[in-house]
Amino acid sequence: MPSIRAVLEARQKAAAVHLEELGAELERVRQAVADAAEVLRQRVIGLEQFLEALAEVDTPAAAGDGKSSGKPVRPAGPRMAVPHRRDVPGVEVLAVDYQAVMAAALDAGSDGLGARQTAVVLGWDSAVASRVEGARV
């Protein structure tokens, strides 16, 4: 039977080893947190630069054309209509497929043109068109 001293010394050694393992794990986690913070910092800077560049691109177009309606221009986003443009060439400069899609969109009017209808206009196989939008496979 081992002595109480030997049992306590073994427990002490095990605790010291466990402490070293936890210290190494803590250092690894600290490094991972530092790396993640650096990635976040770079992404924030990238987003800020993108927004600044976007603002520079938008500012001259809105201020320089002299045709502003006085309404603030909001960027297009989800579920937002893209504003109509002025002084652009007609659809005749587009490729034939695009012209067909534009004609179908005009025919659709306020109902809008869905992906399925667009597929049909482009002459895609009806089986493919049915899988484009709204159909469950």
Side-chain angles (χ1 to χ4, degrees):
M1 177 168 175
S3 70
I4 293 179
R5 180 178 180 162
V7 170
L8 293 176
E9 286 175 350
R11 286 182 180 174
Q12 178 186 357
K13 287 180 184 177
V17 168
H18 187 64
L19 179 63
E20 279 186 38
E21 291 171 352
L22 289 175
E25 179 70 11
L26 176 62
E27 187 56 38
R28 187 192 66 74
V29 169
R30 282 184 179 158
Q31 185 60 45
V33 168
D35 293 346
E38 178 62 20
V39 168
L40 175 62
R41 186 184 72 79
Q42 291 174 356
R43 300 246 167 110
V44 166
I45 290 171
L47 178 60
E48 289 172 350
Q49 290 174 343
F50 172 76
L51 294 175
E52 288 172 2
L54 190 60
E56 288 175 8
V57 168
D58 287 344
T59 302
D65 67 359
K67 297 179 184 178
S68 177
S69 63
K71 296 180 183 177
V73 177
R74 296 184 348 185
R79 300 186 184 261
M80 293 179 64
V82 176
H84 291 283
R85 299 187 56 115
R86 296 185 181 111
D87 301 328
V88 294
V91 294
E92 62 275 355
V93 299
L94 298 174
V96 175
D97 286 342
Y98 290 113
Q99 288 179 18
V101 170
M102 292 298 292
L106 288 173
D107 290 342
S110 63
D111 294 337
L113 182 65
R116 181 180 300 172
Q117 294 140 331
T118 304
V120 171
V121 166
L122 293 174
W124 293 355
D125 180 27
S126 62
V128 173
S130 68
R131 287 186 297 215
V132 171
E133 174 185 6
R136 292 198 181 6
V137 182

